[in-house]
Structure formats: structure tokens, C-alpha cells
Amino acid sequence: MEKTGRCLCGAVSFAYEGPENWRVHCHCESCRRQTASAFTTFLGVSNGQWAWTGATPKVYRSSPGVRRSFCGTCGAPVAFEADRYPDEIHFYAALLDDHSDFAPQGHVHWDERVAWVTPADDLPRKPA
């Protein structure tokens, strides 16, 4: 079944087929600063299983080997790609059109979390 997602204004949209590779909450400083939130939630999709279905997003190279895609109209972040993950893209889970069957599997970069947020789940917590 195809899954779809879009940015705030709808200009940038994506679709993918098949199961996600993983689903995690990221607490790293870079993701927090890009999204202005305590943490963000990603899903990993293998290259060849996804496509941009609307406008192609703009790309910001936030650090060596890291590309963060965002909508050029509304500014919403839409995806993360890194040389260390050459075969997949990471979409922001909150952009899914239907998230009724989405469930995160863990927390990553737990050692970089903000002290004022304590998730009330028992998911695995991994450091950087």
C-alpha cells in the first residue's frame, strides 16, 4: 500500500511503497534546531521505494555529508539524507497523510536530549 506525505502548504509531497526500514524519535541537537522542537520523529525508506510527487524540495547542507530537504514555499522540513546512510532517505513522520498505523521503535541520540522533556514510553534509548 502506498503511503503519502506533504509539507505545510502541500507544494512538496512524497510517496513510498512497502514497510519503513525503521521509525525513531531523534533527539540530536541538529534536528532540534532545524525543527525548533524538543525532538523529531523520522522514518527510513530505501531508495527506489519512494518519489517526490510534488515540487522538488530545496536542500540545505547542514554539515559535511548531510542534506536536509525543505519546502521552498512554506519552509517546512521534509527529509534528511546523509552519506553515512547512502541507500535511504529519512522522512519526517509528522508529515504523513495517514499516521494511524505509525508507531516509533525507539529514541536515538538520547544523550543529546533536552532535560525538560521526558517521554513516557518504554522504547529503547540509544546514545549518539
Side-chain angles (χ1 to χ4, degrees):
M1 180 170 130
E2 182 179 74
K3 294 187 180 182
T4 59
R6 62 180 177 83
C7 66
L8 178 63
C9 73
V12 173
S13 57
F14 60 89
Y16 66 94
E17 292 277 348
E20 298 91 1
N21 296 339
W22 48 263
R23 304 166 170 190
V24 299
H25 299 301
C26 183
H27 296 267
C28 83
E29 180 181 4
S30 294
C31 287
R32 290 193 334 258
R33 291 188 184 279
Q34 187 204 17
T35 62
S37 60
F39 61 91
T40 193
T41 307
F42 284 111
L43 55 98
V45 177
S46 295
N47 289 339
Q49 290 185 289
W50 67 273
W52 298 118
T53 56
T56 301
K58 294 192 178 281
V59 175
Y60 172 63
R61 296 182 183 280
S62 60
S63 56
V66 174
R67 297 162 303 285
R68 295 175 180 274
S69 299
F70 63 96
C71 176
T73 302
C74 68
V78 293
F80 170 95
E81 293 176 274
D83 291 351
R84 69 179 182 249
Y85 307 111
D87 301 322
E88 66 183 20
I89 191 167
H90 306 166
F91 290 113
Y92 289 88
L95 301 180
L96 290 172
D97 292 322
D98 177 8
H99 48 81
S100 61
D101 67 344
F102 185 87
Q105 300 163 314
H107 296 267
V108 295
H109 297 283
W110 184 250
D111 54 330
E112 295 182 46
R113 72 190 180 283
V114 294
W116 43 268
V117 171
T118 306
D121 61 46
D122 59 355
L123 297 173
R125 290 155 165 78
K126 297 180 182 184

